[in-house]
Amino acid sequence: MTPQEMTAKEKQELSAGQEKTRPGRHYMPDVDIAEFNDHLQLWADMPGVSEKDVQVTLDNDVLTIQGAVNTGMYDGLSPLYTEYNVGNYFRQFSIHESIDSSGIKATMRNGELELVLPKVEAVKPRKIGVNVS
């Protein structure tokens, strides 16, 4: 085996043409998505965002995730080195009709937003009984 180097992933800043509701820098949070038989599950990494500063909305089949970072804790600091700037988070997903939008649940814990998107009954796998003749 050859040794592998670990490299940090660059934060992706939103382009100037995308809508923002708050001033300042906005970044796209990294999101892991897993599909299960009865639901999709998403985990969005938003370090520095508290439970009260995250907003999840669904409008016209577009799921929007917004997280605000309290920049007050950085006032007066003079860092010698920073890997990236501090900013808010913004990401959108188009939701397919196979998702039951009324059952979406969100949980924020330690800078990670977890979303559970249940599937509608029609697309869930089901067991079909076999009759003996």
Side-chain angles (χ1 to χ4, degrees):
M1 288 177 79
T2 60
Q4 295 180 348
E5 288 186 30
M6 205 174 201
T7 58
K9 182 179 177 191
E10 294 291 321
K11 261 188 160 179
Q12 292 180 297
E13 189 169 359
L14 293 179
S15 64
Q18 293 176 304
E19 271 188 65
K20 300 173 203 160
T21 57
R22 299 184 82 163
R25 294 180 184 268
H26 286 75
Y27 297 99
M28 289 177 38
D30 290 334
V31 176
D32 294 319
I33 302 173
E35 183 172 9
F36 300 94
N37 287 336
D38 60 345
H39 70 281
L40 293 175
Q41 200 156 349
L42 286 75
W43 297 271
D45 295 328
M46 297 191 292
V49 176
S50 68
E51 294 82 7
K52 64 179 178 46
D53 294 325
V54 67
Q55 187 177 37
V56 180
T57 57
L58 182 65
D59 186 25
N60 292 326
D61 295 328
V62 175
L63 181 72
T64 302
I65 299 169
Q66 296 181 68
V69 174
N70 180 0
T71 57
M73 68 176 81
Y74 300 102
D75 290 344
L77 295 180
S78 299
L80 298 175
Y81 171 78
T82 59
E83 289 186 29
Y84 52 83
N85 289 311
V86 176
N88 300 314
Y89 296 94
F90 182 88
R91 187 114 184 227
Q92 290 184 316
F93 298 92
S94 294
I95 301 298
H96 191 265
E97 60 208 21
S98 64
I99 298 298
D100 177 10
S101 61
S102 65
I104 296 175
K105 292 184 174 68
T107 307
M108 184 72 174
R109 186 174 33 255
N110 297 327
E112 181 178 70
L113 175 66
E114 179 180 11
L115 292 166
V116 177
L117 291 76
K119 295 180 182 179
V120 294
E121 289 297 323
V123 298
K124 290 181 183 178
R126 59 187 172 95
K127 188 171 184 174
I128 300 171
V130 178
N131 294 324
V132 179
S133 54

